[in-house]
């Protein structure tokens, strides 16, 4: 109830010079809680809970900037240490190279925690960098190894494949061990200290709209 009251205050406040900040706070709270942000025809805001897919779409619009894709090694979440398969940065680089990514346009480092269970793929803070990050995000998504799939796998509600004896590790990375998705505002705890210190949060939709805007003639 207190959160609803705060969101309502932020929406209703017309304090001189602070209206944009209040609306920004209102939107941030709504995205966090999975609520609608738009008022009804009378101009009154009434919080309504979005279905999970719509709430997730709202959250995934607020990406970390410069873009970063968060990669998880699912095997390290297994309680049986004998089933752990360590994937280092060099192995991930080889995997990305095999998928046609140019390593000179990205930086790869350990995330948080720094035990190789989370690896970050950082891209340039440009529109082309965003496109490359989206391409990697889509690669995991199409193989059902995206954000939702990872959450289901670690919660026990999804299936987790395992490498079998004789499998080529590099060839099987995308099929079995690695899950990945584009980093959003709620992923700040998964990135390293330097990334958290330097990054900001931007609307992916607004970036695309800016890139698609017509160029004004001189």
């Amino acid at each position: 109830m207190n959160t609803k009251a705060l969101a309502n205050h932020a929406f209703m406040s017309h304090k001189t010079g602070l209206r944009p900040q209040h609306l920004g706070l209102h939107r941030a709270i709504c995205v966090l809680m999975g609520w609608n942000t738009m008022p009804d025809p009378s101009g009154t805001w009434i919080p309504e809970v979005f279905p999970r897919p719509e709430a997730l779409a709202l959250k995934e619009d607020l990406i970390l900037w410069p873009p970063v894709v968060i990669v998880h090694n699912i095997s390290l979440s297994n309680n049986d240490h004998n089933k752990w398969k360590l994937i280092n940065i060099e192995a991930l680089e080889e995997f990305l190279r095999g998928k046609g990514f140019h390593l000179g346009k990205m930086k790869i480092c350990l995330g948080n925690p720094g035990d190789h269970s989370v690896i970050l793929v950082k891209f340039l803070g440009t529109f082309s960098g965003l496109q490359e990050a989206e391409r990697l995000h889509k690669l995991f998504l199409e193989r059902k190894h995206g954000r939702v799939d990872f959450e289901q796998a670690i919660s026990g509600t999804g299936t987790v494949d395992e490498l079998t004896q004789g499998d080529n590790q590099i060839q099987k990375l995308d099929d079995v061990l690695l899950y990945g998705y584009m980093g959003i505002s709620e992923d700040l705890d998964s990135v390293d200290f330097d990334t958290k210190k330097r990054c900001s949060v931007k609307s992916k939709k607004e970036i695309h709209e800016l890139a698609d805007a017509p160029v004004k003639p001189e």
Side-chain angles (χ1 to χ4, degrees), residues 21-75:
Q21 290 89 332
H22 278 89
L23 290 178
L25 175 60
H26 174 260
R27 182 185 179 192
I29 294 172
C30 289
V31 170
L32 176 68
M33 302 300 292
W35 295 339
N36 62 304
T37 60
M38 300 301 293
D40 62 22
S42 69
T44 303
W45 175 74
I46 301 175
E48 295 180 3
V49 178
F50 278 130
R52 177 172 169 74
E54 292 184 42
L56 181 59
L58 278 175
K59 290 183 178 182
E60 290 191 333
D61 177 58
L62 299 179
I63 61 173
L64 301 183
W65 191 263
V68 55
V69 171
I70 299 173
V71 180
H72 294 270
N73 177 354
I74 192 68
S75 76

Side-chain angles (χ1 to χ4, degrees), residues 26-184:
H26 174 260
R27 182 185 179 192
I29 294 172
C30 289
V31 170
L32 176 68
M33 302 300 292
W35 295 339
N36 62 304
T37 60
M38 300 301 293
D40 62 22
S42 69
T44 303
W45 175 74
I46 301 175
E48 295 180 3
V49 178
F50 278 130
R52 177 172 169 74
E54 292 184 42
L56 181 59
L58 278 175
K59 290 183 178 182
E60 290 191 333
D61 177 58
L62 299 179
I63 61 173
L64 301 183
W65 191 263
V68 55
V69 171
I70 299 173
V71 180
H72 294 270
N73 177 354
I74 192 68
S75 76
L76 297 186
S77 65
N78 197 313
N79 292 327
D80 184 354
H81 293 186
N82 294 321
K83 294 184 178 180
W84 286 11
K85 300 289 183 181
L86 182 64
I87 298 173
N88 57 27
I89 290 177
E90 290 73 22
L92 180 59
E93 287 177 344
E94 188 172 344
F95 161 68
L96 293 172
R97 195 179 293 111
K99 298 299 181 183
F101 288 93
H102 192 285
L103 299 184
K105 296 183 178 181
M106 62 180 69
K107 179 181 178 182
I108 302 176
C109 66
L110 296 180
N112 181 38
D115 58 0
H116 290 84
S117 62
V118 180
I119 302 180
L120 308 179
V121 183
K122 303 180 185 181
F123 295 84
L124 296 176
T126 61
F127 186 66
S128 61
L130 174 60
Q131 289 178 313
E132 285 292 277
E134 289 180 317
R135 184 161 74 92
L136 182 55
H137 173 90
K138 185 177 179 182
L139 185 151
F140 286 114
L141 192 64
E142 290 178 342
R143 294 184 175 274
K144 300 189 184 302
H145 274 214
R147 179 186 298 274
V148 174
D149 308 292
F150 177 70
E151 292 174 354
Q152 292 175 343
I154 62 175
S155 67
T157 59
T159 58
V160 180
D161 299 323
E162 298 177 0
L163 284 179
T164 57
Q165 194 68 27
D167 279 336
N168 182 298
Q169 187 186 42
I170 301 303
Q171 291 179 351
K172 297 293 289 183
L173 284 181
D174 55 338
D175 295 322
V176 181
L177 298 180
L178 297 183
Y179 289 70
Y181 45 81
M182 189 174 298
I184 58 177

